[in-house]
Amino acid sequence: MSTGTTKLDVVVSDVVPVNELVTRFHFRRRDGELLPTFSGGAHVVVEMRDGNRTRLNPYSLMGSPLDTREYTISVRRDDIGRGGSLFMHRSVHAGLEMVISYPVNLFSLDLRAKKHLMLAGGIGITPFMAQTAQLAGSGGNFELHYTCRTASLGTYADLLQQRYGRRVRLYHDDRNERVDLDRLLSSQPLGTHLYVCGPAGMINWVRDRAAVLGWPSETVHFEHFAAPQPGAPFDVTLAVSGKTIRVGEQQSLLEAIEAAGVDPPYLCRGGVCGQCETNVISYDGKFIHNDHWLSEEDHRSGCKIMPCVSRFEGKSLVLER
Amino acid sequence: MGITFRKETFRDDYTFRNSPDHIRRFPFPFNEDSYMYAVNIEPHVVGPKGSVLENLIDVDEHYVAEMQDRALVLAEDPLRCQSLPHMTLAGWDLLELLMEQQALGYPEHFTLTRDGDRWRWINRPLGIDDTFTFGDTSTLPYGPMEYITRQSQGDFCILDQRDGNLWMDAGMVTTQADWSLDFDIGMNFFEWHAPVPLAHEKGIFIRALKFLTNIQQGKPARRLNWTMTINPRLDTSPENYHKWGPDRATVTPENVGQKVHLRVELQSFWRLPRSNGIVFPIRCYLIKMDELVTQPKWARRLHRVIRDLPEELATYKGLTRYRPTLIEWLSKLDDGSPTSPGFGPD
């Protein structure tokens, strides 16, 4: 597949278990050169050759943008997911040659901010690893609030506290520690930008409270890559390529289109970047829109779909692909 | 080997000329006998040897003279170069991009050596040999954007990307076709394109913005734009309108070939890695009618394009005053035969 970004040939240089759910992977370029420079918040799409199936999952780069000898990502194992994280945990080992995309940043720091206030939940810590490293390197003002289920699942919490001391605050669910969000948001200096990455519920909660408390929307940044949700299989006709395909239970519509030999553009594969937006020519049924890209009006219109995360239930669906 | 840099001027006595090689490599912007806006964006990849696309950042025989002209413009008006405080990192990104590309394309003229953050930059045509610390502004005589764009042909707009839009928050703009960085700085994509006629109705800007905000690192894109300029003047800014505007009334049937210049902008778009901004180099190429019509295909086609141009576009591009004189002059070189497909000369 050639329509995402430029590709990088890498070798897995190290695989490091971090805790009972999270494993870190290190990549170096096969030709020994430096990897491309990136900015905090960027992700790469990792291609996984899983038997005769290619999985493409985005993962945030968590190393320091100041050091591009290697890229590092952290993958949380999801035992009931679609299998990408399980493949990473079970089948990826040091020495394996892999292909990843160039970095793409859909969760960039707003460099106008006087202060960067970061809220992370669980594995949502990964983009902040790179962002805090970038800001620390340039004397930027940041503060990180990190919620995790238990201390042992506080991925990189110790490391972050070691690096940044009081700029990092931890909250453990099992100790009933909660972010006093309203107080936190109300006490920030003017010019603060807010960044949130974590489970959808957390992102919605933070965005809602920020809006209620009068934060301008352009100062609130969030990253939520929705993993494609499984669902009932459905059939799709691709008008331009003249193919009819079946989307499997565990397969996304985008993956089914790719498997049929059609090469649609993509960047995030998580419903946020807009690259794979596709026109609907006709349909009889109901869309299950899971994306964050299209407007509510677009969703209602029945004219567009984001095949990376959205599904369909019904009799017929014809797409312009 | 290497480029023979011309000694020439873009003001006063106007000694600017294109050598025969440079006439043939001119980026003629019309691939058919008519012109209308289109989202004519394509991947910015290396093109044929000897063309302006041989390297992704082109350096040509006008390099030294253009850099001298830029220095004159800046001495008179320092506001042609501006960078809002949050754009310094993007300036370093641009410095790296231009040094890398110029050194890669023209090793006989430019050399970049890196030892960690300690960089050495040698620019032989301009007699520069500087060592500095990458990321430390105090080690350069100017900010990083100004430093490198005083040594690179073309204008440079650095765009910040946020809220699904692009913001013109930094730039070096001294060779522009009647627009002003000082006016546009801080504006978003729709604001700075507001004066362009017709294209809004066609939804072109919405599609173009969507494309641009998705530009990826390692995958630059490009497009051509064009207008016309009387006399080979690089600086046709609104600030200096009083100097160049009246020239449009001086075109006569006798001097069309010498005075009227086709002005082509090769615009490219690059994602900057550290800042996640986009840089938009606008490289200006000038060619006078006498030089252009040495290629019969271009002469015939340009006649048809200018003759059939929609009125609003001709007005926007400022051609109204001399358009009939130009069409009359070009018509004598159009024998009515078909033009071959593509941009290049026959």
Side-chain angles (χ1 to χ4, degrees), chain A residues 16-25 41-43 57-63 72-78 85 88-89 107 119-131 144-157 160 170-171 173 196-200 202-203 223-227:
Chain A
V16 182
V18 179
N19 56 39
E20 57 189 279
L21 286 179
V22 175
T23 299
R24 184 171 71 241
F25 299 87
H43 73 266
N57 278 10
Y59 294 106
S60 295
L61 292 173
M62 52 162 290
T72 49
I73 61 169
S74 288
V75 179
R76 182 187 186 282
R77 197 182 74 232
D78 182 354
S85 69
M88 290 298 293
H89 277 246
F107 188 50
L119 274 81
I123 194 66
I125 192 65
T126 51
F128 296 122
M129 298 295 291
Q131 290 187 337
L144 170 67
H145 296 256
Y146 179 16
T147 303
C148 42
R149 296 215 307 250
T150 66
S152 68
L153 287 174
T155 311
Y156 306 117
L160 285 162
L170 297 178
Y171 306 84
D173 290 348
V196 53
C197 182
M202 176 188 181
I203 291 174
E223 174 147 81
H224 177 55
F225 282 8

Coordinates of all heavy atoms in Angstrom, one line a residue, chain A residues 16-25 41-43 57-63 72-78 85 88-89 107 119-131 144-157 160 170-171 173 196-200 202-203 223-227:
Chain A
V16 N 10.9 -4.5 25.1 CA 11.1 -4.4 26.6 C 9.7 -4.4 27.2 O 8.9 -3.5 27.0 CB 11.8 -3.0 26.9 CG1 12.0 -2.9 28.4 CG2 13.0 -2.8 26.1
P17 N 9.5 -5.4 28.1 CA 8.2 -5.5 28.8 C 8.2 -4.3 29.9 O 9.2 -4.1 30.5 CB 8.2 -6.8 29.5 CG 9.4 -7.6 28.9 CD 10.3 -6.6 28.3
V18 N 7.2 -3.6 29.9 CA 7.1 -2.4 30.9 C 6.3 -2.8 32.1 O 6.7 -2.5 33.2 CB 6.6 -1.2 30.1 CG1 6.5 0.0 31.1 CG2 7.4 -0.8 28.9
N19 N 5.2 -3.4 31.9 CA 4.4 -3.9 33.0 C 3.5 -5.0 32.5 O 3.6 -5.4 31.3 CB 3.6 -2.7 33.7 CG 2.7 -2.0 32.8 OD1 2.1 -2.5 31.9 ND2 2.7 -0.6 33.0
E20 N 2.5 -5.4 33.3 CA 1.7 -6.6 32.9 C 0.9 -6.4 31.6 O 0.6 -7.4 30.9 CB 0.8 -7.0 34.0 CG -0.2 -6.0 34.4 CD -0.9 -6.3 35.7 OE1 -1.9 -7.1 35.5 OE2 -0.6 -5.9 36.8
L21 N 0.7 -5.2 31.2 CA -0.1 -4.9 30.0 C 0.7 -4.3 28.8 O 0.3 -4.4 27.7 CB -1.3 -4.0 30.3 CG -2.4 -4.6 31.0 CD1 -3.5 -3.6 31.3 CD2 -3.0 -5.8 30.3
V22 N 1.8 -3.6 29.2 CA 2.4 -2.7 28.2 C 3.8 -3.2 27.8 O 4.6 -3.6 28.7 CB 2.5 -1.3 28.7 CG1 3.3 -0.4 27.7 CG2 1.1 -0.7 28.9
T23 N 4.1 -3.2 26.5 CA 5.5 -3.6 26.1 C 6.0 -2.4 25.2 O 5.2 -1.8 24.4 CB 5.4 -4.9 25.3 OG1 5.0 -5.9 26.1 CG2 6.8 -5.3 24.7
R24 N 7.3 -2.2 25.3 CA 7.9 -1.1 24.5 C 8.7 -1.7 23.3 O 9.4 -2.7 23.5 CB 8.8 -0.2 25.3 CG 9.4 1.0 24.6 CD 10.1 1.9 25.5 NE 11.3 1.4 26.0 CZ 11.6 1.2 27.3 NH1 10.7 1.5 28.2 NH2 12.7 0.7 27.7
F25 N 8.6 -1.1 22.2 CA 9.3 -1.6 21.0 C 10.2 -0.5 20.5 O 9.8 0.7 20.4 CB 8.3 -2.0 19.9 CG 7.4 -3.1 20.3 CD1 6.2 -2.8 21.0 CD2 7.7 -4.4 20.0 CE1 5.3 -3.9 21.4 CE2 6.9 -5.5 20.4 CZ 5.7 -5.2 21.1
G41 N 4.0 14.3 19.9 CA 2.6 14.0 19.5 C 2.4 13.2 18.2 O 1.3 12.8 17.9
A42 N 3.5 13.0 17.5 CA 3.4 12.3 16.2 C 3.2 10.8 16.4 O 3.6 10.3 17.5 CB 4.7 12.6 15.4
H43 N 2.6 10.2 15.4 CA 2.5 8.7 15.4 C 3.1 8.2 14.2 O 3.4 8.9 13.2 CB 1.0 8.3 15.6 CG 0.2 8.5 14.3 ND1 -0.5 9.7 14.1 CD2 0.0 7.7 13.2 CE1 -1.1 9.6 12.9 NE2 -0.8 8.4 12.4
N57 N -1.6 -0.5 12.3 CA -2.0 0.2 13.5 C -1.2 1.4 13.8 O 0.1 1.4 13.7 CB -1.9 -0.7 14.7 CG -3.1 -1.7 14.8 OD1 -3.9 -1.8 13.9 ND2 -3.2 -2.4 15.9
P58 N -1.8 2.5 14.2 CA -1.0 3.7 14.5 C -0.6 3.7 16.0 O -1.4 3.3 16.9 CB -2.1 4.9 14.3 CG -3.4 4.2 14.6 CD -3.3 2.8 14.2
Y59 N 0.6 4.1 16.2 CA 1.1 4.2 17.6 C 1.9 5.5 17.8 O 2.7 5.8 16.9 CB 2.0 3.0 18.0 CG 1.3 1.7 18.0 CD1 1.5 0.7 17.0 CD2 0.4 1.4 19.1 CE1 0.8 -0.5 17.0 CE2 -0.3 0.2 19.1 CZ -0.1 -0.8 18.1 OH -0.8 -2.0 18.1
S60 N 1.7 6.2 18.9 CA 2.4 7.4 19.1 C 3.9 7.1 19.4 O 4.3 6.2 20.0 CB 1.9 8.1 20.4 OG 0.6 8.5 20.2
L61 N 4.8 8.0 18.8 CA 6.2 7.9 19.1 C 6.4 8.5 20.5 O 5.9 9.6 20.8 CB 7.0 8.8 18.1 CG 7.0 8.2 16.7 CD1 7.6 9.2 15.7 CD2 7.7 6.8 16.6
M62 N 7.1 7.8 21.3 CA 7.3 8.2 22.7 C 8.7 8.6 23.1 O 9.0 9.0 24.2 CB 6.8 7.2 23.7 CG 7.4 5.8 23.4 SD 7.2 4.7 24.8 CE 8.3 5.5 26.0
G63 N 9.6 8.4 22.2 CA 11.0 8.9 22.5 C 11.1 10.4 22.4 O 10.2 11.1 22.1
T72 N 10.6 4.8 19.5 CA 10.1 3.9 20.4 C 8.6 4.1 20.5 O 8.1 5.2 20.4 CB 10.7 4.0 21.8 OG1 10.6 5.4 22.2 CG2 12.1 3.6 21.9
I73 N 7.8 3.0 20.6 CA 6.4 3.0 20.8 C 6.1 2.1 22.0 O 6.9 1.2 22.3 CB 5.6 2.5 19.6 CG1 6.0 1.1 19.2 CG2 5.9 3.4 18.4 CD1 5.0 0.4 18.2
S74 N 4.9 2.3 22.6 CA 4.5 1.4 23.7 C 3.1 0.9 23.3 O 2.2 1.7 22.9 CB 4.4 2.1 25.0 OG 5.7 2.4 25.5
V75 N 3.0 -0.4 23.4 CA 1.7 -1.0 23.0 C 1.0 -1.7 24.2 O 1.6 -2.5 24.9 CB 2.0 -2.1 21.9 CG1 0.7 -2.8 21.4 CG2 2.7 -1.4 20.7
R76 N -0.2 -1.3 24.4 CA -1.0 -1.9 25.5 C -1.7 -3.1 24.9 O -2.4 -3.0 23.9 CB -2.0 -0.9 26.0 CG -2.8 -1.4 27.2 CD -3.9 -0.4 27.5 NE -4.6 -0.7 28.7 CZ -5.6 -1.6 28.7 NH1 -5.9 -2.3 27.6 NH2 -6.2 -1.9 29.9
R77 N -1.5 -4.3 25.5 CA -2.2 -5.5 25.1 C -3.7 -5.4 25.3 O -4.1 -5.0 26.3 CB -1.6 -6.7 25.8 CG -1.9 -8.0 25.1 CD -1.4 -9.2 26.0 NE -2.2 -9.4 27.1 CZ -1.8 -9.5 28.4 NH1 -0.5 -9.3 28.7 NH2 -2.6 -9.7 29.4
D78 N -4.4 -5.7 24.2 CA -5.9 -5.7 24.3 C -6.4 -7.1 24.0 O -6.4 -7.5 22.8 CB -6.4 -4.6 23.3 CG -7.9 -4.5 23.4 OD1 -8.6 -5.3 24.1 OD2 -8.5 -3.6 22.7
S85 N -2.6 -5.5 18.7 CA -1.7 -5.4 19.9 C -1.3 -6.8 20.3 O -0.1 -7.0 20.7 CB -2.4 -4.7 21.0 OG -3.5 -5.5 21.5
M88 N 1.6 -7.7 18.1 CA 2.8 -7.0 18.6 C 3.4 -7.7 19.8 O 4.6 -8.0 19.8 CB 2.5 -5.5 18.9 CG 2.2 -4.6 17.8 SD 3.5 -4.4 16.5 CE 4.8 -3.5 17.4
H89 N 2.6 -8.1 20.7 CA 3.1 -8.7 21.9 C 3.7 -10.1 21.7 O 4.6 -10.5 22.3 CB 2.0 -8.7 23.0 CG 1.9 -7.4 23.8 ND1 2.2 -7.3 25.1 CD2 1.5 -6.2 23.4 CE1 2.0 -6.1 25.5 NE2 1.6 -5.4 24.4
F107 N -1.5 15.7 16.6 CA -1.7 16.1 18.0 C -0.5 16.9 18.4 O 0.3 16.6 19.3 CB -1.7 14.8 18.9 CG -2.1 15.0 20.3 CD1 -3.2 15.8 20.7 CD2 -1.4 14.5 21.4 CE1 -3.6 16.0 22.0 CE2 -1.7 14.6 22.7 CZ -2.8 15.4 23.0
L119 N -3.2 16.3 30.2 CA -4.0 15.2 31.0 C -3.9 13.9 30.2 O -4.3 13.8 29.1 CB -5.4 15.7 31.1 CG -5.7 16.6 32.3 CD1 -5.4 18.0 32.0 CD2 -7.2 16.5 32.7
A120 N -3.3 12.9 30.9 CA -3.2 11.6 30.3 C -4.0 10.6 31.1 O -4.0 10.6 32.3 CB -1.7 11.2 30.2
G121 N -4.6 9.6 30.4 CA -5.2 8.5 31.0 C -4.6 7.2 30.5 O -4.6 7.0 29.2
G122 N -4.1 6.3 31.3 CA -3.6 5.0 30.9 C -2.5 5.1 29.8 O -1.6 5.9 29.9
I123 N -2.7 4.3 28.7 CA -1.7 4.3 27.7 C -1.7 5.6 26.9 O -0.8 5.9 26.1 CB -2.0 3.1 26.7 CG1 -0.8 2.8 25.8 CG2 -3.3 3.3 25.9 CD1 0.5 2.4 26.6
G124 N -2.7 6.5 27.1 CA -2.7 7.8 26.6 C -1.5 8.7 27.0 O -1.3 9.8 26.5
I125 N -0.6 8.1 27.8 CA 0.6 8.8 28.2 C 1.6 8.9 27.1 O 2.5 9.8 27.1 CB 1.3 8.1 29.5 CG1 2.3 9.0 30.1 CG2 1.8 6.7 29.1 CD1 1.8 10.2 30.7
T126 N 1.5 8.0 26.1 CA 2.7 7.9 25.2 C 3.0 9.2 24.4 O 4.1 9.6 24.3 CB 2.5 6.7 24.2 OG1 1.2 6.8 23.6 CG2 2.7 5.4 24.9
P127 N 2.0 9.9 23.8 CA 2.4 11.1 23.1 C 3.0 12.2 24.0 O 3.8 13.0 23.6 CB 1.1 11.6 22.5 CG 0.0 11.0 23.3 CD 0.5 9.7 23.7
F128 N 2.6 12.1 25.3 CA 3.2 13.1 26.2 C 4.6 12.8 26.6 O 5.3 13.7 27.0 CB 2.3 13.2 27.5 CG 0.9 13.7 27.2 CD1 -0.2 12.9 27.6 CD2 0.7 14.9 26.6 CE1 -1.5 13.4 27.3 CE2 -0.6 15.4 26.4 CZ -1.7 14.6 26.7
M129 N 5.0 11.6 26.4 CA 6.4 11.3 26.7 C 7.3 12.1 25.7 O 8.3 12.7 26.1 CB 6.7 9.8 26.4 CG 5.9 8.8 27.3 SD 6.4 8.9 29.0 CE 8.1 8.2 29.0
A130 N 6.9 12.1 24.5 CA 7.7 12.9 23.5 C 7.5 14.4 23.7 O 8.4 15.2 23.5 CB 7.3 12.5 22.1
Q131 N 6.2 14.8 23.9 CA 6.0 16.2 24.1 C 6.7 16.8 25.3 O 7.2 18.0 25.2 CB 4.5 16.5 24.2 CG 3.7 16.2 22.9 CD 2.3 16.6 22.9 OE1 1.7 16.7 24.0 NE2 1.7 16.9 21.8
L144 N 1.9 18.0 33.9 CA 1.3 16.8 33.4 C 0.5 16.1 34.5 O 1.0 15.8 35.6 CB 2.4 15.8 32.9 CG 1.9 14.4 32.5 CD1 1.0 14.3 31.3 CD2 3.2 13.5 32.2
H145 N -0.8 15.8 34.3 CA -1.6 15.1 35.2 C -2.0 13.7 34.6 O -2.5 13.7 33.5 CB -2.9 15.9 35.5 CG -2.6 17.2 36.2 ND1 -2.8 17.4 37.5 CD2 -2.0 18.3 35.7 CE1 -2.4 18.6 37.9 NE2 -1.9 19.2 36.8
Y146 N -1.6 12.7 35.3 CA -1.6 11.3 34.7 C -2.4 10.4 35.6 O -2.1 10.2 36.8 CB -0.2 10.9 34.6 CG 0.1 9.5 34.0 CD1 -0.9 8.8 33.3 CD2 1.3 8.9 34.1 CE1 -0.7 7.6 32.8 CE2 1.6 7.6 33.6 CZ 0.5 7.0 32.9 OH 0.8 5.7 32.4
T147 N -3.5 9.9 35.0 CA -4.4 9.0 35.7 C -4.2 7.5 35.3 O -4.1 7.3 34.1 CB -5.9 9.3 35.4 OG1 -6.1 10.7 35.7 CG2 -6.8 8.5 36.2
C148 N -4.0 6.6 36.3 CA -3.8 5.2 35.9 C -4.6 4.4 36.9 O -4.9 4.8 38.0 CB -2.4 4.8 35.8 SG -1.4 5.5 37.1
R149 N -4.8 3.1 36.5 CA -5.7 2.3 37.4 C -5.0 2.0 38.7 O -5.5 2.1 39.8 CB -6.0 1.0 36.7 CG -6.9 1.2 35.4 CD -7.9 0.1 35.2 NE -7.3 -1.2 35.1 CZ -7.2 -1.9 34.0 NH1 -7.6 -1.5 32.9 NH2 -6.6 -3.1 34.1
T150 N -3.7 1.5 38.6 CA -2.9 1.2 39.8 C -1.5 1.7 39.6 O -1.1 2.0 38.5 CB -2.9 -0.4 40.0 OG1 -2.1 -0.9 38.9 CG2 -4.2 -1.0 40.0
A151 N -0.8 1.7 40.7 CA 0.6 2.2 40.5 C 1.4 1.3 39.6 O 2.2 1.8 38.8 CB 1.3 2.2 41.9
S152 N 1.1 0.0 39.6 CA 1.9 -0.9 38.7 C 1.5 -0.7 37.3 O 2.3 -1.0 36.4 CB 1.8 -2.3 39.2 OG 0.5 -2.8 38.9
L153 N 0.4 -0.2 37.0 CA 0.0 0.1 35.6 C 0.3 1.6 35.2 O -0.2 2.0 34.2 CB -1.5 -0.2 35.4 CG -1.8 -1.7 35.4 CD1 -3.3 -1.9 35.3 CD2 -1.2 -2.4 34.2
G154 N 0.9 2.3 36.1 CA 1.3 3.7 35.8 C 2.5 3.7 34.9 O 3.7 3.9 35.3
T155 N 2.3 3.4 33.6 CA 3.4 3.2 32.6 C 4.3 4.5 32.6 O 3.8 5.6 32.2 CB 2.8 2.9 31.2 OG1 1.8 1.9 31.4 CG2 3.8 2.5 30.2
Y156 N 5.5 4.3 32.9 CA 6.5 5.4 32.8 C 6.3 6.5 33.9 O 6.9 7.5 33.8 CB 6.6 6.0 31.4 CG 6.9 5.0 30.4 CD1 5.9 4.8 29.3 CD2 8.0 4.2 30.4 CE1 6.1 3.9 28.3 CE2 8.2 3.3 29.4 CZ 7.3 3.1 28.4 OH 7.5 2.2 27.4
A157 N 5.4 6.2 34.8 CA 5.1 7.2 35.9 C 6.4 7.6 36.7 O 6.7 8.7 36.9 CB 4.0 6.8 36.8
L160 N 8.8 9.6 34.6 CA 8.4 11.0 34.4 C 8.6 11.8 35.7 O 9.0 12.9 35.6 CB 6.9 11.0 34.0 CG 6.6 10.6 32.6 CD1 5.1 10.2 32.4 CD2 7.0 11.7 31.6
L170 N 0.4 12.4 39.8 CA -0.2 11.0 39.5 C -1.5 10.8 40.2 O -1.7 11.3 41.4 CB 0.8 9.9 39.9 CG 2.1 9.9 39.2 CD1 3.0 8.8 39.8 CD2 1.9 9.7 37.7
Y171 N -2.4 10.1 39.6 CA -3.7 9.8 40.2 C -4.0 8.3 40.0 O -3.9 7.8 38.9 CB -4.9 10.6 39.6 CG -4.6 12.1 39.6 CD1 -3.9 12.7 38.6 CD2 -5.2 12.9 40.6 CE1 -3.6 14.0 38.6 CE2 -4.9 14.3 40.6 CZ -4.2 14.8 39.6 OH -3.9 16.2 39.6
D173 N -6.5 5.1 40.4 CA -8.0 4.8 40.5 C -8.2 3.9 41.8 O -9.1 4.1 42.5 CB -8.5 4.0 39.3 CG -8.6 4.9 38.1 OD1 -8.5 6.1 38.2 OD2 -8.7 4.3 37.0
V196 N -5.3 16.6 26.0 CA -5.8 15.4 26.7 C -5.7 14.2 25.7 O -6.1 14.2 24.5 CB -7.2 15.6 27.2 CG1 -8.2 16.1 26.2 CG2 -7.8 14.3 27.9
C197 N -5.2 13.1 26.3 CA -5.2 11.8 25.5 C -5.5 10.7 26.5 O -4.8 10.6 27.6 CB -3.8 11.6 24.9 SG -3.7 10.1 23.9
G198 N -6.4 9.9 26.1 CA -6.8 8.7 27.0 C -8.1 8.1 26.5 O -8.4 8.3 25.3
P199 N -8.8 7.4 27.4 CA -10.0 6.8 26.9 C -11.1 7.8 26.5 O -11.0 9.0 27.0 CB -10.5 6.1 28.2 CG -9.4 6.0 29.1 CD -8.5 7.1 28.8
A200 N -12.0 7.4 25.6 CA -13.0 8.4 25.1 C -13.7 9.1 26.2 O -14.0 10.3 26.1 CB -13.9 7.6 24.2
M202 N -12.8 9.9 29.2 CA -12.0 10.9 29.8 C -11.9 12.2 28.9 O -12.0 13.3 29.3 CB -10.6 10.4 30.0 CG -9.7 11.4 30.6 SD -8.0 10.7 30.7 CE -7.1 12.1 31.4
I203 N -11.7 11.9 27.6 CA -11.6 13.0 26.6 C -12.9 13.8 26.6 O -12.9 15.1 26.7 CB -11.2 12.5 25.2 CG1 -9.8 11.9 25.2 CG2 -11.4 13.6 24.2 CD1 -9.4 11.2 24.0
E223 N -6.4 13.8 21.6 CA -6.1 12.8 20.6 C -6.8 11.5 21.0 O -6.6 11.0 22.1 CB -4.6 12.5 20.5 CG -4.3 11.3 19.6 CD -3.0 11.4 18.9 OE1 -2.0 11.2 19.5 OE2 -3.1 11.8 17.7
H224 N -7.7 11.1 20.2 CA -8.3 9.8 20.4 C -8.4 9.0 19.1 O -9.2 9.3 18.3 CB -9.7 10.0 21.0 CG -10.4 8.7 21.2 ND1 -9.9 7.7 22.0 CD2 -11.6 8.3 20.7 CE1 -10.8 6.7 22.0 NE2 -11.8 7.0 21.2
F225 N -7.5 8.0 19.0 CA -7.6 7.2 17.9 C -8.6 6.1 18.2 O -8.3 5.2 19.0 CB -6.3 6.5 17.6 CG -5.3 7.4 16.9 CD1 -5.6 8.8 16.7 CD2 -4.1 6.9 16.4 CE1 -4.7 9.6 16.0 CE2 -3.2 7.8 15.7 CZ -3.5 9.1 15.6
A226 N -9.8 6.2 17.6 CA -10.7 5.1 17.8 C -10.2 3.9 17.1 O -9.9 3.9 15.9 CB -12.1 5.5 17.3
A227 N -10.1 2.8 17.8 CA -9.8 1.5 17.1 C -11.1 1.1 16.4 O -12.2 1.3 16.9 CB -9.4 0.4 18.1

